[in-house]
């Protein structure tokens, strides 16, 4: 999977400002052709963003200027539009979640790489301290050897010591002094090799700071976009015109945020892939060959709990062998001195100082071997490589592709949401017309409803003189035997009389001037 992702990003061509194609060789120099190619990639993303934004604005202007009849809308159209907007919003939520996942993946990989880099820096700083300490010990030992040699020559001449013994002691002293000189030279070479740890230290500081700010910025912006989309989903479900308009205004903002992030994320993803695939030349320009060879050794070495498992190019093993030979020569020298100057306190004191320096130098070289051993760096160096060039690349690819799909979905959503400005508007009345194929009551049956349905015309004087068919749903409750139950209520000719009751005759003037003005509507 990693190889496929790297091949996809390597397929992106690189052009300088003269539109000449250049190789994908990573270079951090801002005046280089590689930096120009990265700027061109970001500029292309900006141009695409502007074109999409102009398309949205033109569509909105056309939607505002067009006069659309709202009386012909139906529940089905509104429901379909709501479902479509809701589905697009759900897809946006999904890709927002994937963007957060990719961002966390990048952060996890970069944090792992920075932690490994910090461990390597601490280890090399400790090795530098041990090297300086051993170098000081060797310089003091060389001075102590010179002092011992002078004392031996003075004592030998004054006591009349055999010249052969003096020559043997001189040869041992010369061998020990030359060994110290060789150790000092090797230590200086090692110091020059380890001095490039400052580049790793600066990379750790800037990498940690940039990664923290990048992670916080993306999490904040993606969380805000998620809140805006949630508000849009609520407005779509409620079919609210005001909510749709508010979402349109906020949606154009998050649309710009998404595409602006893409203008930064895509070039940075290309830079990361180019660094991991072809960044060797840049690294060699910042780190010396010996240091780089040691880092490569730590990636493939076999971790053993021994002090001699050190990169050969650092020459620490040679220094250890020289110091071991120095201790052996020191033992031989002490034997000669004891046989020749058995009772001389000055020579005994000087030889004891040299022996003590030999012990300290052996302890220092042991500590240096432990500080540069394979088991101290292998996991950290592998974490540096895997975190940046494996997890971070996968996370950045997920983030880049999801931002592209999210930008396309937001573009589609903002184009369609303008349609809801008219469809989501409320009609003058609460009645919403139905379609012709309404299964409950088709619109063609509107004229078949009688006026006196359910007898509501009985107490309405305006309908008494109309010659409209009655539904016969209201009857006289007190009909005589043999009479039908369909006699209207106002037919009181055959109504039975109620004993001990009086009835006032109907007065035509009881309605005032209603009889003359009843049809003046």
């Amino acid at each position: 999977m990693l190889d496929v992702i790297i091949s996809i990003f390597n397929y992106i061509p690189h052009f300088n400002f003269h539109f000449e194609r250049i190789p994908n060789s990573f270079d951090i120099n801002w005046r280089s052709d590689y930096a120009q190619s990265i700027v061109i990639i970001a500029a292309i993303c900006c141009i695409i963003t502007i074109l999409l934004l102009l398309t949205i604005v033109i569509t909105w202007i056309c939607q505002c200027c067009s006069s659309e009849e709202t009386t012909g809308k139906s529940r089905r159209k509104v429901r379909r539009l709501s479902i479509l907007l809701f589905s697009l919003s759900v897809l946006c939520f999904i890709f927002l979640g994937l963007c957060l996942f990719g961002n966390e993946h990048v952060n996890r990989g970069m944090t792992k790489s920075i932690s490994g880099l910090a461990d390597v820096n601490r280890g090399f700083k400790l090795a530098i301290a041990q090297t300086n300490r051993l170098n000081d010990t060797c310089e003091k030992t060389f001075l102590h050897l010179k002092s011992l040699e002078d004392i031996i020559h003075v004592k030998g001449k004054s006591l009349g010591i055999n010249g052969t013994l003096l020559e043997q002691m001189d040869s041992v002293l010369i061998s020990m002094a030359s060994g110290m000189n060789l150790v000092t030279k090797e230590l200086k070479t090692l110091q020059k090799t380890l001095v490039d740890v400052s580049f790793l230290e600066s990379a750790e500081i800037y990498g940690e700071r940039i990664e923290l700010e990048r992670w916080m910025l993306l999490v904040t912006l993606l969380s805000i976009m998620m809140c805006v989309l949630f508000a849009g989903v609520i407005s779509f479900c409620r079919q609210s015109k005001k909510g749709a308009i508010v979402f349109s205004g906020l949606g154009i903002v998050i649309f710009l945020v998404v595409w602006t992030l893409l203008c930064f994320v895509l070039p940075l993803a290309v830079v990361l892939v180019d660094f991991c695939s072809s960044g060797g030349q840049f690294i060699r320009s910042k780190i010396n060959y010996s240091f780089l060879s040691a880092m490569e050794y730590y990636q493939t070495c076999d971790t053993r709990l021994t002090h001699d498992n050190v990169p050969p190019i650092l020459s620490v093993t040679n220094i250890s062998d020289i110091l071991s030979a120095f201790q052996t020569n020191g033992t031989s020298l002490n034997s000669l001195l004891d046989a020749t100057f058995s009772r001389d306190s000055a020579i005994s004191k000087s030889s004891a100082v040299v022996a003590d320096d030999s012990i300290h130098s052996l302890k220092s070289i042991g500590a240096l071997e432990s500080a540069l051993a394979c088991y101290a760096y292998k996991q950290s160096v592998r974490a540096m490589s895997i975190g940046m060039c494996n997890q971070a690349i996968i996370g950045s690819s997920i983030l880049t592709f999801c931002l592209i799909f999210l930008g396309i979905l937001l573009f589609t959503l903002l184009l369609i949401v303008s349609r809801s400005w008219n469809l989501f508007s409320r009609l003058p009345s609460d009645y919403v017309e139905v379609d012709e194929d309404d299964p409950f009551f088709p619109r063609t049956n509107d004229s078949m409803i009688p006026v006196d349905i359910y007898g509501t015309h009985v107490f309405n004087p305006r309908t008494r003189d109309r010659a409209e068919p009655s539904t016969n749903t209201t009857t006289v409750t007190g009909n005589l035997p043999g009479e039908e139950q369909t006699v209207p209520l106002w037919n009181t000719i055959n109504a039975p009389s109620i004993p001990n009751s009086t009835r006032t005759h109907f007065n035509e003037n009881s309605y005032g001037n209603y009889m003359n003005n009843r049809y003046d509507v």
Side-chain angles (χ1 to χ4, degrees):
M1 180 180 179
L2 183 62
D3 296 335
V4 175
I5 294 174
I6 292 176
S7 62
I8 291 174
F9 281 99
N10 286 333
Y11 186 75
I12 299 176
H14 290 60
F15 296 93
N16 57 12
F17 288 162
H18 300 286
F19 295 99
E20 299 174 352
R21 187 159 186 175
I22 60 173
N24 302 351
S25 299
F26 176 81
D27 190 3
I28 203 173
N29 186 9
W30 297 106
R31 297 181 179 179
S32 62
D33 291 339
Y34 180 80
Q36 295 177 6
S37 66
I38 298 301
V39 172
I40 289 177
I41 293 175
I44 292 174
C45 293
C46 293
I47 292 173
I48 295 174
T49 303
I50 294 173
L51 292 177
L52 294 177
L53 181 62
L54 287 176
T55 304
I56 294 173
V57 172
I58 293 172
T59 304
W60 285 8
I61 292 174
C62 295
Q63 186 68 27
C64 292
C65 295
S66 62
S67 58
E68 184 176 350
E69 295 292 335
T70 59
T71 57
K73 71 178 184 180
S74 63
R75 290 184 183 272
R76 178 172 297 178
K77 291 181 180 179
V78 175
R79 184 170 58 251
R80 287 177 179 175
L81 182 61
S82 300
I83 293 174
L84 179 60
L85 293 175
F86 179 79
S87 302
L88 290 175
S89 300
V90 170
L91 291 176
C92 290
F93 272 115
I94 293 173
F95 283 106
L96 269 176
L98 292 176
C99 287
L100 288 172
F101 171 76
N103 184 43
E104 290 294 329
H105 214 280
V106 173
N107 180 257
R108 184 66 62 86
M110 294 302 296
T111 302
K112 184 177 181 180
S113 180
I114 292 172
S115 298
L117 187 60
D119 293 338
V120 171
N121 288 333
R122 284 193 296 269
F124 280 128
K125 286 181 180 179
L126 179 61
I128 291 173
Q130 296 293 341
T131 302
N132 295 332
R133 181 180 179 182
L134 180 58
N135 189 29
D136 294 338
T137 303
C138 292
E139 290 178 354
K140 292 179 181 179
T141 303
F142 184 79
L143 296 177
H144 294 160
L145 286 174
K146 288 294 184 182
S147 177
L148 179 60
E149 184 179 4
D150 294 338
I151 294 174
I152 290 174
H153 287 168
V154 172
K155 294 292 183 179
K157 291 180 181 180
S158 62
L159 297 176
I161 303 299
N162 188 0
T164 304
L165 293 176
L166 291 176
E167 290 178 358
Q168 290 179 357
M169 286 185 287
D170 286 339
S171 63
V172 174
L173 288 172
I174 292 172
S175 176
M176 294 174 67
S178 62
M180 282 294 110
N181 286 330
L182 186 58
V183 169
T184 303
K185 291 180 181 179
E186 293 289 346
L187 290 175
K188 289 181 179 179
T189 303
L190 181 59
Q191 287 176 342
K192 292 180 181 180
T193 301
L194 298 179
V195 74
D196 285 338
V197 73
S198 59
F199 173 76
L200 299 181
E201 186 177 2
S202 61
E204 176 194 353
I205 295 173
Y206 289 108
E208 185 177 5
R209 183 181 305 170
I210 293 173
E211 174 57 26
L212 177 62
E213 294 176 355
R214 184 205 64 82
W215 178 81
M216 292 181 62
L217 179 63
L218 279 177
V219 169
T220 303
L221 293 178
L222 293 176
S223 301
I224 293 174
M225 286 188 281
M226 190 170 293
C227 295
V228 173
L229 279 176
F230 184 74
V233 169
I234 294 176
S235 65
F236 299 151
C237 293
R238 296 182 61 186
Q239 300 176 3
S240 171
K241 177 181 179 180
K242 184 183 295 184
I245 294 175
V246 172
F247 173 76
S248 300
L250 296 177
I252 199 71
V253 176
I254 64 174
F255 170 81
L256 291 176
V257 170
V258 169
W259 283 94
T260 303
L261 287 177
L262 183 61
C263 293
F264 287 97
V265 171
L266 178 59
L268 291 178
V270 173
V271 169
L272 180 60
V273 172
D274 291 340
F275 173 77
C276 293
S277 59
S278 59
Q281 183 177 358
F282 169 76
I283 295 176
R284 285 191 292 270
S285 64
K286 299 296 181 180
I287 299 176
N288 60 71
Y289 174 76
S290 299
F291 193 92
L292 187 60
S293 299
M295 297 294 289
E296 293 176 353
Y297 171 82
Y298 288 131
Q299 287 185 342
T300 58
C301 64
D302 184 17
T303 55
R304 300 191 306 270
L305 297 178
T306 56
H307 292 174
D308 58 348
N309 195 10
V310 182
I313 199 167
L314 298 180
S315 301
V316 178
T317 304
N318 295 334
I319 297 175
S320 179
D321 295 338
I322 294 172
L323 292 177
S324 298
F326 181 87
Q327 187 182 26
T328 303
N329 292 330
T331 303
S332 301
L333 179 62
N334 289 331
S335 299
L336 292 174
L337 292 176
D338 290 339
T340 306
F341 307 99
S342 58
R343 297 180 181 179
D344 195 298
S345 60
I347 293 178
S348 299
K349 185 182 294 185
S350 181
S351 62
V353 171
V354 172
D356 187 62
D357 291 338
S358 176
I359 294 173
H360 282 294
S361 62
L362 288 175
K363 290 181 179 180
S364 297
I365 192 60
L368 181 59
E369 287 178 339
S370 298
L372 295 175
C374 175
Y375 63 83
Y377 292 94
K378 184 173 183 178
Q379 296 298 328
S380 300
V381 173
R382 288 178 62 86
M384 289 171 52
S385 177
I386 294 175
M388 179 178 291
C389 296
N390 191 333
Q391 295 182 359
I393 288 180
I394 294 175
S396 62
S397 63
I398 294 174
L399 180 60
T400 302
F401 294 141
C402 290
L403 282 176
I404 292 174
F405 288 118
L406 180 60
I408 295 174
L409 286 174
L410 284 175
F411 172 73
T412 307
L413 183 63
L414 291 175
L415 288 180
I416 298 176
V417 76
S418 61
R419 181 73 176 171
S420 66
W421 297 348
N422 293 322
L423 289 180
F424 284 176
S425 60
R426 179 174 293 181
L427 291 175
S429 64
D430 293 336
Y431 173 72
V432 179
E433 295 186 6
V434 297
D435 292 338
E436 295 291 340
D437 54 350
D438 184 22
F440 297 101
F441 193 82
R443 192 181 301 174
T444 55
N445 295 335
D446 289 349
S447 60
M448 299 176 60
I449 303 176
V451 177
D452 57 348
I453 185 171
Y454 302 126
T456 56
H457 66 292
V458 174
F459 298 102
N460 188 358
R462 298 187 181 187
T463 61
R464 291 181 179 179
D465 295 337
R466 296 184 183 179
E468 295 180 356
S470 175
T471 57
N472 296 326
T473 56
T474 56
T475 59
V476 178
T477 57
N479 291 345
L480 295 176
E483 292 185 355
E484 296 181 358
Q485 296 295 322
T486 59
V487 179
L489 289 176
W490 63 77
N491 188 3
T492 58
I493 298 175
N494 298 323
S497 60
I498 301 174
N500 299 328
S501 64
T502 60
R503 179 182 179 186
T504 305
H505 293 283
F506 176 74
N507 187 5
E508 294 182 355
N509 296 325
S510 60
Y511 288 96
N513 199 21
Y514 173 76
M515 300 300 293
N516 296 326
N517 299 329
R518 56 180 175 174
Y519 294 111
D520 296 338
V521 179

